Amino acid sequence: MQTVQEDIRQLGVDSLWHALTQHKPLKDKPPMHIVRGEGCYIYDSEGNSYLDALAGLWCVNVGYGRKELAEIAKEQMTELAYLAPTMSHPKAILLADKLLKLLDIQGHVYFASSGSEANEAAFKIARQYQMQIGQYRRYKIISRHRAYHGNTFAAMTATGQAERKIGYDPLAPGFLHIPPPYPYRRHEKLTVEEHGDYAAQMLEDTIIYEGVETVAAFIMEPMISGGGVIVPPDNYIAKIRQICDRYGVVLIFDEVVSGFGRTGKLFGHWHWGIKPDIITFAKGISSGYMPLSATVVSNRIFEAFYGEANELKHFRHVNTYSAHPASTAVGLANIEIMLREDLPDNAMRMGAYIREGLKELEDHPYVGEIRGKGLLLGIETVADKTTKEPLAGSVIAGILNTCKEMGVLIGRNGNTVPGLANVLIMAPPLVLSEADADKIVHALKTAFAKSLAS
Ligand code: PLP
């Protein structure tokens, strides 16, 4: 048995091209070899368990091992395994309807398989919409530094993380970036609110400087997630909505991470009481049990696509796996679980509980700021609290390693923003219990204490 496990691990190094991974070191240290998941825990082939405080890639919101979802997928595959997305089937219809009702939006939903595809669809819809309402020169899409929007060409170009683009030029034309609000590193003379105004003003200035008649859309995450867990000042998002309205710019919210309970409300934008024009979802929409994403489009936009068969107005876009029967069936059941167990509320409570548990860590010399909402939490680490110089990568690696040795997997915004890969990230499954939360807090406190001793 042992030999089979070793063989398969070696095969994994020899044949699998792992995401975001430098392969030479794998010769001596193969990737974690995980064989099972249950609740918030994953188990390796040696029987070690790890509290997955990242929920995979921030996606296993309802936790691992939900047999109910496996049964739903099996039933759906047995009944209807696949359907061309030009036709319709009950699960896709019910899921689209459910999403619109939950969001309280009159609109239409385009399904695909990943967050990148959802954002690509959003960009194409925004451009085509502008053209079809007679705004022929509006093609530019503005996004923000630090944000991640995906790995396909347009989504990567919209991404505001320089390292992810090295080696892939030329990127997609027509994209530009503005800085997001970043309260922790704001200008010292500004209050958080003034900083929020200033950051929103940058969008308005950029639209004007670029030429209002050239800007199609603005895309943002409600809270920057992978780029370092950055929560905007409370006044920022309402201002962004007003600016987009003022200048006819489509407002796209990327809720790939913040959707489906992650931030303590079912949807991230609910924290700020505005309605985007387009919203993209992935990850938590199916809790990672099946590949699924959604681009939700308000009818104000959709109407520009509504025409007779011979008008060239329709959305000229297809994904083979759009509205996949098994994915949409699982998505629907996943949302039912989330609502039945009130997981957004648990995320809110457990997030507050972890923040409380980490309170004394705020005095640690390497902790600049602990921030987040719900179960999307970040710890910005610094070498010096006054200058805010980021903590050295090797010290951060040591902290993460101690947590791992204690059976807790914590993330980091590595490989993203040059010089600022210094934020530890927690986004555990939303089923987290107090005992699990205690374990995360204990591991972090121990690891930070040890980092001073080394
Ligand atoms: N948008 C955000 C905010 C993300 O975090 C991600 C992935 O991490 C994406 C989009 C892209 O999603 P996917 O990896 O499913 O293409």
Side-chain angles (χ1 to χ4, degrees):
M1 187 64 192
Q2 191 63 22
T3 334
V4 174
Q5 290 289 5
E6 274 165 18
D7 283 354
I8 200 161
R9 287 193 75 168
Q10 189 52 46
L11 202 58
V13 174
D14 295 343
S15 56
L16 264 181
W17 195 328
H18 294 274
L20 296 173
T21 301
Q22 183 53 264
H23 273 238
K24 203 167 175 183
L26 298 187
K27 276 198 310 196
D28 304 320
K29 196 170 176 267
M32 290 175 77
H33 186 63
I34 301 298
V35 291
R36 193 169 72 80
E38 187 70 41
C40 294
Y41 289 81
I42 53 175
Y43 298 82
D44 69 16
S45 48
E46 272 113 49
N48 300 309
S49 68
Y50 298 91
L51 197 171
D52 181 7
L54 264 188
L57 283 183
W58 339 50
C59 57
V60 190
N61 289 12
V62 299
Y64 295 93
R66 295 271 189 176
K67 294 199 174 52
E68 182 181 342
L69 294 181
E71 287 303 324
I72 295 275
K74 181 181 161 194
E75 271 169 35
Q76 184 59 52
M77 285 181 195
T78 314
E79 204 168 278
L80 177 68
Y82 176 81
L83 191 73
T86 43
M87 303 183 208
S88 61
H89 62 85
K91 295 302 175 353
I93 298 167
L94 292 174
L95 181 58
D97 181 61
K98 182 97 192 165
L99 282 178
L100 294 169
K101 289 202 170 107
L102 289 170
L103 285 160
D104 190 22
I105 285 179
Q106 309 284 317
H108 282 74
V109 184
Y110 181 84
F111 291 112
S113 309
S114 68
S116 304
E117 289 168 300
N119 285 334
E120 294 283 335
F123 299 146
K124 287 172 73 174
I125 290 168
R127 282 185 176 170
Q128 193 180 338
Y129 160 76
Q130 297 286 13
M131 198 194 73
Q132 288 178 185
I133 61 163
Q135 298 286 315
Y136 299 104
R137 291 190 57 218
R138 286 192 188 256
Y139 65 89
K140 291 177 189 162
I141 292 167
I142 304 176
S143 61
R144 306 185 304 168
H145 296 295
R146 296 198 75 140
Y148 182 69
H149 295 299
N151 64 2
T152 46
F153 261 91
M156 172 181 61
T157 309
T159 290
Q161 302 175 354
E163 277 191 36
R164 294 200 190 264
K165 303 179 189 182
I166 297 170
Y168 306 125
D169 284 308
L171 303 177
F175 286 79
L176 51 145
H177 299 84
I178 60 169
Y182 191 1
Y184 178 62
R185 289 179 188 274
R186 71 185 184 277
H187 193 287
E188 61 196 18
K189 294 224 166 78
L190 297 182
T191 63
V192 171
E193 197 181 342
E194 286 165 348
H195 175 67
D197 286 341
Y198 181 75
Q201 187 61 43
M202 278 195 223
L203 175 63
E204 180 159 25
D205 291 351
T206 304
I207 292 170
I208 292 169
Y209 287 141
E210 287 292 323
V212 175
E213 71 288 358
T214 69
V215 180
F218 176 59
I219 182 166
M220 61 177 284
E221 294 176 84
M223 275 173 61
I224 286 179
S225 47
V229 186
I230 303 176
V231 186
D234 278 336
N235 55 332
Y236 176 75
I237 289 184
K239 287 232 148 71
I240 293 292
R241 179 68 272 184
Q242 286 162 9
I243 292 165
C244 289
D245 285 343
R246 191 173 310 139
Y247 297 104
V249 171
V250 174
L251 177 57
I252 305 169
F253 261 41
D254 177 337
E255 292 233 21
V256 167
V257 170
S258 66
F260 296 98
R262 172 61 53 207
T263 66
K265 289 190 188 276
L266 191 56
F267 303 115
H269 68 277
W270 282 6
H271 287 284
W272 291 281
I274 59 107
K275 278 202 166 62
D277 301 309
I278 299 180
I279 314 174
T280 57
F281 297 108
K283 298 189 190 270
I285 191 173
S286 62
S287 287
Y289 278 74
M290 289 293 285
L292 179 65
S293 65
T295 304
V296 179
V297 182
S298 73
N299 276 348
R300 186 175 71 80
I301 307 280
F302 176 80
E303 274 154 21
F305 294 75
Y306 197 69
E308 302 296 340
N310 59 356
E311 289 180 89
L312 199 60
K313 278 174 115 179
H314 62 287
F315 186 35
R316 293 178 281 280
H317 190 86
V318 64
N319 298 90
T320 300
Y321 301 127
S322 175
H324 189 280
S327 297
T328 47
V330 167
L332 205 52
N334 170 64
I335 295 173
E336 273 159 25
I337 293 175
M338 212 167 261
L339 298 178
R340 186 171 77 217
E341 299 182 8
D342 204 359
L343 295 182
D345 187 60
N346 193 54
M348 187 70 103
R349 284 186 300 106
M350 286 303 107
Y353 185 76
I354 292 178
R355 294 283 291 272
E356 190 55 37
L358 292 178
K359 204 135 197 83
E360 70 194 54
L361 211 51
E362 283 171 1
D363 297 327
H364 189 284
Y366 291 163
V367 174
E369 187 179 54
I370 303 179
R371 57 185 181 238
K373 278 191 188 293
L375 282 174
L376 180 51
L377 298 169
I379 304 178
E380 176 145 2
T381 60
V382 290
D384 182 317
K385 277 182 184 291
T386 315
T387 64
K388 300 186 177 173
E389 180 195 329
L391 190 59
S394 55
V395 183
I396 299 174
I399 293 170
L400 296 181
N401 209 34
T402 305
C403 290
K404 187 174 169 191
E405 281 166 11
M406 295 178 70
V408 178
L409 303 178
I410 305 281
R412 169 191 181 185
N413 70 330
N415 213 6
T416 57
V417 184
L420 280 170
N422 61 327
V423 183
L424 307 189
I425 298 177
M426 284 159 277
L430 311 185
V431 292
L432 199 80
S433 67
E434 285 194 3
D436 298 329
D438 289 341
K439 192 165 170 158
I440 295 175
V441 168
H442 178 59
L444 280 167
K445 280 184 178 166
T446 310
F448 270 94
K450 195 172 157 201
S451 71
L452 283 178
S454 57

